Amino acid sequence: MPYPFALPTTSSTSLEAFISSPSHPALPLSATTQRSILRDALKKHKRLPPTQQAAHLGVVQDAITGYLPYALGIASAVSSGRIGEEPVTISSTKQLQTEWRLTLSATLPGREPPRPPLAGIYNDLAFVLQTLAYTRVQQARSQLQILYSSNIPSPDRRTAAIGSAMKYLLEANSIHNYILNLHTQDPASAPLDTVNSTQVALAALALAEATLITVLKDDPYTTAVIQARNKDDKEWMISAPSIPKVRAHLFARLGLCASDHAQRAAASLAPGIGVLDSSLLNYVDDLRRTARAKAARFLACDAEATGKTGEAIAYLRGARRELGLAPLEQDASKRKGWKGIKQTFAEKREDRKVEKGSDDWGLDAGKLEEARVLEWLEIKWVKLNDTINTQLIPPSEPLMAAMPSGREYHTPKPFSPPSLDASLLARLRTPIDHNQNAFIGDEEDSGDEAVSREPAVVPGAFPGAAVAGNSANAYY
């Protein structure tokens, strides 16, 4: 949590070959330079190991904000003949063609997603904006990662991380909504990654994640479970935390609101618009289930605080059913059999992913972490109910069907894109030297970035002999 979007890569494109500006001759040249810088940053980011990509997100963001004003300015000049308040003339030599990697499309295992040619400035602009949204989501992931590690952060650090992640997710939501307006200006067919239905789904997904993490700051149970499995923890004798009744009911309604947003995202990603990556579809469904299970857990906390332990246990069992988990056994304090070994192994594997900063941690939308909290609470409350309260446990289905409606927490603000200022536009009026070439980037342009750049050694050849390119498949 949130979803680990892969940043797309793009081809090397000289805008001077497609457009010219009699009023601002340096505009295509400067835009090409900024686009090449963005292309290099994306390619370098993809080749970094997952543990180093989080630190490189700032470089990618700077490259996007450097090229985005030029792309927006060219699009504005093409449609209205103005950039801001200044008239700008743009003439097209031929239709602009760019290439972007489709990271949301389903592909065969071991193969790169396709990088089809895209026509028009609006398709290029939509991918630049979508890459910025992916960058914001990745920055939110890097902030939330510290909350799930074995080293419990301080309350101030926890609050700051959640606030930053929330801000990034809300900005991603506003960017996806802004892309919807681009397609109303350019009715041409858009690729699967940027069609309207995908943008609606990604905007709803970002809002669902932003809503769900609002309860993390004041959710002591998740922190208690993380602390309980820390081998170096010395505070295991402290009693379980409690949540006031009003706060628990509020958190339940926030969880149900997040579930509604995730359901809207799942409906927008329904089959019919193309073949999407199955991991994204599974994540959206897991997020919906996790949000409803978290809401049921807070309603259980509300019931337990008022002395209704039997009803609280019923809510917990309904939450486990929402996650698709089997009921706990009678003696669940010790995991037994193959199922217990498998569950313990899955939890340890997820812990290692979080500690190492793997790019696929949290791919289950927090379902495994929520299952740990539910198991911890049910074992505790069942033991308490069997020894002290002795209340009947009602069926969970009527309770789950009667849960309250969701409550909105966020009011997303519209995206405010950067623009070219007046002083920069004045400099772009300068005539260009025909011997001056735009920066085309340091990275090689290849349709498959996964191909190794090292020379391939041919088996049986003389020592030191190597063949460049893809001749590693040569055999005798």
Side-chain angles (χ1 to χ4, degrees), residues 241-263:
S242 60
I243 301 179
K245 177 182 177 181
V246 177
R247 299 286 293 180
H249 197 270
L250 172 63
F251 292 162
R253 296 189 63 185
L254 292 177
L256 291 171
C257 179
S259 177
D260 293 340
H261 289 307
Q263 180 64 36

Tab-separated table of all heavy atoms in Angstrom, residues 241-263:
chain	number	residue	atom	x	y	z
A	241	PRO	N	-3.839	-1.339	23.728
A	241	PRO	CA	-4.384	0.026	23.677
A	241	PRO	C	-5.891	0.009	23.479
A	241	PRO	O	-6.485	-0.994	23.105
A	241	PRO	CB	-3.667	0.639	22.472
A	241	PRO	CG	-3.331	-0.533	21.620
A	241	PRO	CD	-3.056	-1.674	22.547
A	242	SER	N	-6.508	1.110	23.750
A	242	SER	CA	-7.944	1.247	23.589
A	242	SER	C	-8.239	2.463	22.726
A	242	SER	O	-7.432	3.386	22.639
A	242	SER	CB	-8.638	1.392	24.954
A	242	SER	OG	-8.141	2.539	25.629
A	243	ILE	N	-9.413	2.462	22.104
A	243	ILE	CA	-9.836	3.556	21.245
A	243	ILE	C	-11.151	4.086	21.783
A	243	ILE	O	-12.059	3.304	22.084
A	243	ILE	CB	-10.015	3.083	19.788
A	243	ILE	CG1	-8.700	2.511	19.261
A	243	ILE	CG2	-10.495	4.203	18.892
A	243	ILE	CD1	-8.782	2.006	17.854
A	244	PRO	N	-11.310	5.378	21.924
A	244	PRO	CA	-12.599	5.918	22.367
A	244	PRO	C	-13.720	5.537	21.408
A	244	PRO	O	-13.499	5.292	20.217
A	244	PRO	CB	-12.364	7.433	22.387
A	244	PRO	CG	-10.884	7.580	22.500
A	244	PRO	CD	-10.286	6.410	21.779
A	245	LYS	N	-14.916	5.499	21.914
A	245	LYS	CA	-16.059	5.044	21.131
A	245	LYS	C	-16.301	5.911	19.896
A	245	LYS	O	-16.508	5.392	18.800
A	245	LYS	CB	-17.293	5.034	22.027
A	245	LYS	CG	-18.569	4.648	21.298
A	245	LYS	CD	-19.759	4.699	22.224
A	245	LYS	CE	-21.043	4.379	21.466
A	245	LYS	NZ	-22.234	4.454	22.351
A	246	VAL	N	-16.272	7.209	20.066
A	246	VAL	CA	-16.575	8.107	18.941
A	246	VAL	C	-15.528	7.968	17.843
A	246	VAL	O	-15.836	7.903	16.665
A	246	VAL	CB	-16.676	9.560	19.435
A	246	VAL	CG1	-16.916	10.509	18.286
A	246	VAL	CG2	-17.796	9.683	20.470
A	247	ARG	N	-14.263	7.892	18.242
A	247	ARG	CA	-13.203	7.779	17.245
A	247	ARG	C	-13.306	6.459	16.479
A	247	ARG	O	-13.075	6.414	15.275
A	247	ARG	CB	-11.844	7.881	17.933
A	247	ARG	CG	-11.592	9.181	18.648
A	247	ARG	CD	-11.313	10.301	17.678
A	247	ARG	NE	-10.068	10.121	16.974
A	247	ARG	CZ	-9.602	10.959	16.064
A	247	ARG	NH1	-10.309	12.017	15.739
A	247	ARG	NH2	-8.451	10.747	15.458
A	248	ALA	N	-13.626	5.373	17.184
A	248	ALA	CA	-13.732	4.080	16.517
A	248	ALA	C	-14.850	4.093	15.480
A	248	ALA	O	-14.693	3.576	14.364
A	248	ALA	CB	-13.970	2.977	17.551
A	249	HIS	N	-15.981	4.699	15.807
A	249	HIS	CA	-17.087	4.765	14.855
A	249	HIS	C	-16.720	5.659	13.672
A	249	HIS	O	-17.098	5.370	12.517
A	249	HIS	CB	-18.331	5.288	15.565
A	249	HIS	CG	-19.602	5.024	14.817
A	249	HIS	ND1	-20.116	5.909	13.905
A	249	HIS	CD2	-20.442	3.964	14.828
A	249	HIS	CE1	-21.233	5.423	13.389
A	249	HIS	NE2	-21.464	4.239	13.932
A	250	LEU	N	-15.988	6.730	13.912
A	250	LEU	CA	-15.545	7.604	12.826
A	250	LEU	C	-14.594	6.867	11.899
A	250	LEU	O	-14.709	6.953	10.664
A	250	LEU	CB	-14.874	8.847	13.403
A	250	LEU	CG	-14.187	9.783	12.404
A	250	LEU	CD1	-15.201	10.374	11.431
A	250	LEU	CD2	-13.427	10.878	13.127
A	251	PHE	N	-13.641	6.124	12.468
A	251	PHE	CA	-12.687	5.388	11.647
A	251	PHE	C	-13.394	4.320	10.817
A	251	PHE	O	-12.993	4.037	9.678
A	251	PHE	CB	-11.625	4.749	12.527
A	251	PHE	CG	-10.715	5.748	13.184
A	251	PHE	CD1	-9.954	5.386	14.284
A	251	PHE	CD2	-10.615	7.039	12.710
A	251	PHE	CE1	-9.113	6.308	14.898
A	251	PHE	CE2	-9.783	7.960	13.313
A	251	PHE	CZ	-9.032	7.591	14.412
A	252	ALA	N	-14.432	3.710	11.371
A	252	ALA	CA	-15.187	2.711	10.607
A	252	ALA	C	-15.839	3.342	9.382
A	252	ALA	O	-15.815	2.770	8.285
A	252	ALA	CB	-16.234	2.067	11.507
A	253	ARG	N	-16.410	4.517	9.532
A	253	ARG	CA	-17.040	5.184	8.402
A	253	ARG	C	-16.015	5.635	7.359
A	253	ARG	O	-16.293	5.622	6.153
A	253	ARG	CB	-17.852	6.373	8.901
A	253	ARG	CG	-19.020	5.996	9.801
A	253	ARG	CD	-19.908	7.171	10.081
A	253	ARG	NE	-20.527	7.679	8.858
A	253	ARG	CZ	-21.281	8.781	8.813
A	253	ARG	NH1	-21.491	9.482	9.916
A	253	ARG	NH2	-21.802	9.190	7.669
A	254	LEU	N	-14.808	6.012	7.812
A	254	LEU	CA	-13.748	6.354	6.859
A	254	LEU	C	-13.321	5.123	6.074
A	254	LEU	O	-13.054	5.200	4.867
A	254	LEU	CB	-12.564	6.960	7.603
A	254	LEU	CG	-12.786	8.342	8.236
A	254	LEU	CD1	-11.544	8.776	9.004
A	254	LEU	CD2	-13.148	9.378	7.182
A	255	GLY	N	-13.224	3.974	6.758
A	255	GLY	CA	-12.877	2.747	6.055
A	255	GLY	C	-13.925	2.359	5.027
A	255	GLY	O	-13.592	1.902	3.922
A	256	LEU	N	-15.198	2.533	5.348
A	256	LEU	CA	-16.257	2.227	4.392
A	256	LEU	C	-16.231	3.196	3.211
A	256	LEU	O	-16.530	2.806	2.069
A	256	LEU	CB	-17.609	2.288	5.096
A	256	LEU	CG	-17.858	1.175	6.124
A	256	LEU	CD1	-19.117	1.459	6.918
A	256	LEU	CD2	-17.953	-0.176	5.430
A	257	CYS	N	-15.861	4.450	3.457
A	257	CYS	CA	-15.723	5.406	2.350
A	257	CYS	C	-14.583	4.990	1.424
A	257	CYS	O	-14.715	5.065	0.193
A	257	CYS	CB	-15.487	6.801	2.916
A	257	CYS	SG	-15.267	8.073	1.656
A	258	ALA	N	-13.470	4.559	1.999
A	258	ALA	CA	-12.354	4.075	1.171
A	258	ALA	C	-12.764	2.850	0.371
A	258	ALA	O	-12.372	2.692	-0.798
A	258	ALA	CB	-11.153	3.758	2.062
A	259	SER	N	-13.575	1.977	0.969
A	259	SER	CA	-14.052	0.803	0.241
A	259	SER	C	-14.939	1.210	-0.934
A	259	SER	O	-14.869	0.606	-2.011
A	259	SER	CB	-14.824	-0.112	1.195
A	259	SER	OG	-15.352	-1.227	0.506
A	260	ASP	N	-15.760	2.236	-0.756
A	260	ASP	CA	-16.600	2.708	-1.863
A	260	ASP	C	-15.758	3.259	-3.013
A	260	ASP	O	-16.054	3.013	-4.188
A	260	ASP	CB	-17.555	3.789	-1.359
A	260	ASP	CG	-18.587	3.245	-0.373
A	260	ASP	OD1	-18.812	2.025	-0.375
A	260	ASP	OD2	-19.141	4.039	0.420
A	261	HIS	N	-14.698	4.009	-2.685
A	261	HIS	CA	-13.816	4.521	-3.742
A	261	HIS	C	-13.110	3.380	-4.470
A	261	HIS	O	-12.947	3.419	-5.703
A	261	HIS	CB	-12.791	5.474	-3.142
A	261	HIS	CG	-13.361	6.785	-2.696
A	261	HIS	ND1	-14.125	7.587	-3.519
A	261	HIS	CD2	-13.290	7.438	-1.502
A	261	HIS	CE1	-14.499	8.674	-2.875
A	261	HIS	NE2	-14.007	8.607	-1.641
A	262	ALA	N	-12.679	2.361	-3.724
A	262	ALA	CA	-12.034	1.216	-4.363
A	262	ALA	C	-13.016	0.447	-5.244
A	262	ALA	O	-12.641	-0.059	-6.312
A	262	ALA	CB	-11.440	0.292	-3.295
A	263	GLN	N	-14.272	0.363	-4.816
A	263	GLN	CA	-15.286	-0.286	-5.639
A	263	GLN	C	-15.510	0.492	-6.932
A	263	GLN	O	-15.697	-0.101	-8.003
A	263	GLN	CB	-16.590	-0.395	-4.848
A	263	GLN	CG	-17.734	-1.047	-5.607
A	263	GLN	CD	-17.451	-2.499	-5.949
A	263	GLN	OE1	-16.836	-3.217	-5.166
A	263	GLN	NE2	-17.888	-2.924	-7.122
